[in-house]
């Protein structure tokens, strides 16, 4: 699996939590990109391929922003990643409060500069479920988060501190056969008040 983050303008007031909940066998590949139009920089690369310390999600970039594996999340066995090849692992977030928590400071530009992109491969099992896929909150407000999908079968993308008006877009993920027991690639883009979601390279929601 893999997570990439590119952001800018660091401070210490934002906490990020990557979560994939209630996936009993969650072979998850994240390609996670945070972009700042002013001067983007790679601040994290999480491959989930080094289970030597099961409490840490290693940042393979030069930024060394390692994540903390918490709440029962665990590395899959070898060949549990998206390729199925030897040496390819993934992070299984199981159930409950399973999560990987990232350092707060590098993600401040989500709210400061109002621009971000998140892309991820997800293998669904036990969906839909009412929980959060990824969440970046500031003072308890939803700055950048998604349910993919929520228990009602809808995908939600919330930004800007709430879930109303221009802060949210949502749409049906369709029947469970669209995501259960298979890989799907999701991309979430926020550019000011404009938001869009892509599914397997095609526009799912947005302008």
């Amino acid at each position: 699996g893999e997570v990439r983050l590119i952001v800018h303008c660091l401070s210490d007031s934002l906490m990020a939590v990557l979560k994939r909940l209630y996936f009993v066998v969650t072979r998850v590949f994240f390609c996670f990109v945070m972009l700042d139009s002013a001067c983007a920089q790679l601040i994290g690369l999480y491959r989930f391929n080094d289970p030597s310390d099961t409490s840490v999600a290693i940042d393979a970039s030069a930024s060394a922003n390692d994540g903390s594996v918490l709440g029962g999340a665990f590395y899959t066995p070898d060949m549990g990643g998206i390729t199925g090849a030897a040496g390819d692992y993934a992070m299984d977030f199981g159930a409950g409060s399973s999560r990987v928590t990232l350092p707060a400071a590098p993600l401040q530009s989500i709210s400061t500069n109002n621009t971000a992109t998140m892309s991820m491969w997800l293998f669904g099992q036990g969906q839909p479920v009412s929980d959060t896929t990824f969440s970046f909150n500031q003072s308890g407000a939803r700055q950048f988060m998604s349910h993919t999908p929520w228990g009602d079968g809808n995908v939600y993308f919330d930004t800007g501190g709430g879930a109303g008006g221009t802060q949210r877009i949502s749409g049906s993920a369709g029947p469970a056969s669209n995501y259960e027991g298979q890989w799907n690639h999701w991309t979430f883009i926020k550019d000011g008040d404009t938001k869009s979601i892509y599914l397997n390279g095609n526009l799912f929601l947005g302008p």
Side-chain angles (χ1 to χ4, degrees):
E2 182 173 295
V3 177
R4 295 177 185 267
L5 300 104
I6 302 175
V7 296
H8 178 63
C9 301
L10 309 185
S11 78
D12 60 0
S13 62
L14 189 68
M15 181 176 75
V17 181
L18 293 178
K19 301 176 71 177
R20 200 68 192 132
L21 306 183
Y22 297 109
F23 275 18
V24 178
V25 183
T26 312
R27 290 166 292 177
V28 178
F29 171 93
F30 286 102
C31 180
F32 187 19
V33 184
M34 290 297 174
L35 295 172
D36 177 330
S37 58
C39 51
Q41 61 178 345
L42 179 67
I43 62 96
L45 172 58
Y46 303 88
R47 299 187 183 279
F48 299 139
N49 277 340
D50 184 357
S52 58
D53 184 344
T54 57
S55 68
V56 176
I58 298 294
D59 175 9
S61 78
S63 300
N65 291 314
D66 293 348
S68 299
V69 181
L70 302 171
F74 59 94
Y75 286 89
T76 64
D78 192 11
M79 300 185 290
I82 190 171
T83 68
D88 188 6
Y89 297 80
M91 187 63 67
D92 188 327
F93 292 92
S97 60
S98 304
R99 64 200 183 275
V100 171
T101 302
L102 306 182
L107 303 170
Q108 177 60 36
S109 67
I110 298 173
S111 54
T112 301
N113 298 298
N114 209 19
T115 304
T117 299
M118 161 68 154
S119 295
M120 57 187 176
W121 279 103
L122 297 179
F123 184 91
Q125 182 166 324
Q127 286 192 298
V129 65
S130 296
D131 243 310
T132 304
T133 311
F134 61 88
S135 177
F136 301 86
N137 294 337
Q138 188 172 30
S139 301
R142 306 176 181 190
Q143 297 302 323
F144 195 77
M145 68 172 293
S146 178
H147 313 295
T148 322
W150 188 249
D152 60 5
N154 289 318
V155 175
Y156 294 92
F157 182 24
D158 298 336
T159 65
T166 61
Q167 297 168 313
R168 164 173 282 185
I169 60 174
S170 63
S172 174
S177 58
N178 286 353
Y179 45 83
E180 182 77 359
Q182 62 183 300
W183 290 102
N184 281 296
H185 185 267
W186 295 91
T187 301
F188 298 81
I189 301 171
K190 174 176 171 57
D191 185 6
D193 286 341
T194 302
K195 286 186 284 294
S196 54
I197 303 174
Y198 285 81
L199 173 59
N200 296 324
N202 299 309
L203 184 65
F204 174 73
L205 284 173

